[in-house]
Amino acid sequence: MIFKPLNVDDWSRQPYFEHYFHSVRCTFSMTANLDISALYTEVKNKGIKLYPALIYMITTVVNRHREFRTCLNAEGQIGYWDSLSPSFTIFHDDDKTFSTIWTAYSEDFNQFYRGYLDDVEKFGSSKGLVAKPNEPSNTFPISSIPWVHFTGFNLNIYTDGSYLLPILTMGKYDKQNAKVLLPLSVQLHHAVCDGYHAGILFNELQQMADDCDGWLATIDPSRCRYV
């Protein structure tokens, strides 16, 4: 993982960053339904899990755009990671708590999927907020509320408002006639992203869901344990 500092003087977004980070510090959220009909059918036919497929989709789109990878490093310097990996939640049904696990991102879905399965098998029963230790700095959060097909979701984070990476939350999918719709909410910091970037995120995720047969072609369920 490599953090690349930005030359603020040559950064076209510099006046927006100054305004929305220093003058009017704010985040915004957007929720929309993804049509995952094709994806849902494909993962069922292949006998693989939907959750890691959605995590892979989200991480792939996030990594395509520098705006989603822009943040402050430990020294408070503005820059961007060359790539991000997902830090996602898992639910413990016995005591109704959750924990976070991170899995190293790979553009190859088969490799990422196997990494996800290995991590969940090793750390899935660990309790506490953080199940898998040694989370690197270049991760971003993904969570799921699979009990509610929500129409809106907003996080109210009472800190100094300097967290710049996207935060994504998916809800319960709903079958409506021939479609399978999944609500997805994204929280973005206005200092680094606008509504345009939120639109890119949702549009490219929809394209990946529609074209899932391409990137799912790398999967070999027979070599994936714990399916």
Side-chain angles (χ1 to χ4, degrees), residues 49-224:
K49 298 178 181 295
L50 178 62
Y51 190 38
L54 293 167
I55 294 172
Y56 171 83
M57 276 177 39
I58 291 169
T59 309
T60 297
V61 173
V62 164
N63 275 313
R64 287 177 182 170
H65 303 280
R66 191 177 77 177
E67 291 83 2
F68 300 138
R69 294 179 279 113
T70 301
C71 62
L72 302 174
N73 65 8
E75 289 72 42
Q77 185 177 25
I78 186 70
Y80 60 95
W81 293 105
D82 60 340
S83 68
L84 291 175
S85 292
S87 177
F88 53 90
T89 57
I90 57 168
F91 185 70
H92 304 296
D93 193 59
D94 56 347
D95 63 0
K96 314 305 179 189
T97 62
F98 73 91
S99 301
T100 61
I101 293 176
W102 62 275
T103 293
Y105 174 68
S106 171
E107 293 182 1
D108 180 87
F109 177 66
N110 186 56
Q111 182 175 338
F112 175 78
Y113 185 73
R114 295 179 69 184
Y116 168 93
L117 293 178
D118 286 342
D119 285 333
V120 170
E121 189 214 21
K122 187 174 182 180
F123 302 104
S125 60
S126 299
K127 297 295 180 67
L129 183 60
V130 178
K132 182 180 178 181
N134 303 317
E135 182 170 324
S137 300
N138 64 325
T139 60
F140 72 103
I142 300 174
S143 61
S144 177
I145 306 176
W147 309 277
V148 183
H149 184 88
F150 53 71
T151 56
F153 182 83
N154 184 63
L155 288 170
N156 300 296
I157 303 174
Y158 297 101
T159 64
D160 63 354
S162 62
Y163 186 82
L164 302 180
L165 295 176
I167 304 173
L168 293 107
T169 307
M170 62 186 81
K172 178 183 180 180
Y173 65 78
D174 184 34
K175 296 180 180 179
Q176 298 182 11
N177 298 322
K179 292 185 176 182
V180 182
L181 302 178
L182 177 86
L184 178 69
S185 176
V186 61
Q187 181 132 339
L188 299 168
H189 203 298
H190 213 347
V192 293
C193 289
D194 303 320
Y196 168 76
H197 303 101
I200 285 178
L201 178 74
F202 282 104
N203 289 335
E204 292 192 5
L205 283 172
Q206 186 59 65
Q207 193 64 52
M208 279 198 73
D210 293 340
D211 299 337
C212 62
D213 55 333
W215 52 270
L216 283 175
T218 64
I219 197 71
D220 182 1
S222 65
R223 297 184 62 191
C224 292

